Amino acid sequence: MILMRLVFMGTPWSAVPTLQRCVEDGHEVAAVWTQPDRPAGRGNKLASPPVKEWATAQGLTVHQPSKIRTDEARELFASHDADVAVVVAYGRILPEAFLRAPRRGCINVHFSLLPKYRGAAPVNWAMVRGERQTGVTTMLIDEGLDTGAILLQRATEIGDVETAPELLGRLAETGAELLSETLKRLDEIEPHAQNDAEATHAPILRREDGRIDWTMSAFEIERRVRGFQPWPTAYTAFRGQRLIIWRARAHAAASAQWRMAVDNQTDKAVGVVDIAAGEIVVAYVDKIIVGCGEGSVLEVFEVQPEGKRRMSARDFLNGTHARPGERMG
């Protein structure tokens, strides 16, 4: 096995398994670069990135420059005299001087099957756009956005009810394994260029991405519920207040032609011709069903009203007494 002197660059929890694997494999981690501490939580107290917390606990040297396009940052990076820089969700595009500094270049662990889903949020967008498969790529970083030559790839199926954090957790472990294999086989791997014609993009998430458009099909909305976790979440308005939907299941138009009527503690199915987008079709005991586009419906299991905790559909109905015919959005 080839042991190397490396610099690790990463920030969120999804980068920690790869850093841990680098240490376990016996590589010399000369330094860890991560983003600065930032305010977080209701108290707005400074919080350290997960990579910093893990690295500090292991006694590794940590650097957190607020800017990397400076002479000071460039000289510090070069001073590590690294064979390789390993980059996992660092959060910044590396300038050319950084790319040239390590003797064998900079290797990125990217959570998609490049050239698909280049960009900041590949796991979220792959799920939201209905991909059945995704994976991890190790690549040599160039000056473009995730455009460098591919080293190794490993694919995995996306689960039918899997959320983005759950999928990212699996990919983080896979990424650690793939990076380990990449470094072991670096002398024999033949990098190959990406096909730019097949490229898709995964732009940084914005708060407005999570706003539910009830004219979409229930299946599109369900993918947003799963894919926009933990942020910006899939949210709507109900009685003038924000309502986050955390768990839901889509039903096709063929199964949507019914409505639950509640009368004297009994319920019966009543046929309907049209269901308005955003209309609550069923609000009974522990069932919330909302009309969506194409005649489909979304069955909602878990929500979070503005300023309150996450709760089941039953608890939400008990607290709000929502009724069929009311609208969301």
Side-chain angles (χ1 to χ4, degrees), residues 219-286:
F219 297 93
E220 293 175 284
I221 296 171
E222 181 193 334
R223 293 198 299 267
R224 281 162 167 73
V225 169
R226 295 187 292 115
F228 286 146
Q229 296 186 30
W231 191 90
T233 68
Y235 61 89
T236 189
F238 181 68
R239 295 178 181 172
Q241 291 193 310
R242 179 185 174 96
L243 180 70
I244 297 171
I245 297 180
W246 286 104
R247 286 196 307 119
R249 181 173 60 199
H251 297 278
S255 64
Q257 303 308 306
W258 46 265
R259 181 194 301 266
M260 192 81 77
V262 181
D263 182 21
N264 297 326
Q265 302 299 314
T266 65
D267 54 285
K268 58 182 178 179
V270 179
V272 291
V273 176
D274 294 309
I275 299 174
E279 178 189 358
I280 298 177
V281 181
V282 174
Y284 179 66
V285 186
D286 60 353

Side-chain angles (χ1 to χ4, degrees), residues 76 82 86-87 95 99 107 121 125 135 138 165 167 218 220 229 241-242 255 270 296:
L76 175 60
V86 174
V87 184
L99 302 182
I107 297 175
W125 287 113
T138 53
L167 176 57
E220 293 175 284
Q229 296 186 30
Q241 291 193 310
R242 179 185 174 96
S255 64
V270 179
S296 57

Side-chain angles (χ1 to χ4, degrees), residues 47-109:
S48 298
V51 163
K52 176 187 177 181
E53 292 183 352
W54 193 90
T56 301
Q58 306 305 309
L60 300 175
T61 300
V62 176
H63 298 293
Q64 297 176 276
S66 58
K67 297 180 180 179
I68 63 171
R69 295 183 181 274
T70 65
D71 290 341
E72 181 182 8
R74 176 179 54 79
E75 291 169 3
L76 175 60
F77 190 75
S79 73
H80 299 315
D81 192 31
D83 296 310
V84 169
V86 174
V87 184
V88 188
Y90 176 52
R92 295 219 171 106
I93 295 176
L94 301 185
E96 184 181 0
F98 277 60
L99 302 182
R100 294 197 312 261
R103 281 179 285 277
R104 308 194 65 171
C106 300
I107 297 175
N108 179 226
V109 178

Side-chain angles (χ1 to χ4, degrees), residues 159-220:
D160 290 339
V161 297
E162 197 168 29
T163 65
E166 290 167 345
L167 176 57
L168 182 55
R170 291 201 294 116
L171 294 177
E173 297 298 331
T174 300
E177 296 173 5
L178 197 65
L179 187 277
S180 176
E181 182 182 351
T182 299
L183 293 182
K184 288 176 184 176
R185 297 175 49 201
L186 196 55
D187 287 338
E188 64 183 78
I189 296 172
E190 188 68 35
H192 63 276
Q194 296 185 39
N195 182 352
D196 292 340
E198 297 178 355
T200 60
H201 295 277
I204 191 167
L205 295 172
R206 305 167 301 167
R207 180 176 293 275
E208 53 265 35
D209 289 326
R211 184 180 293 110
I212 295 173
D213 176 358
W214 291 103
T215 65
M216 290 181 172
S217 78
F219 297 93
E220 293 175 284

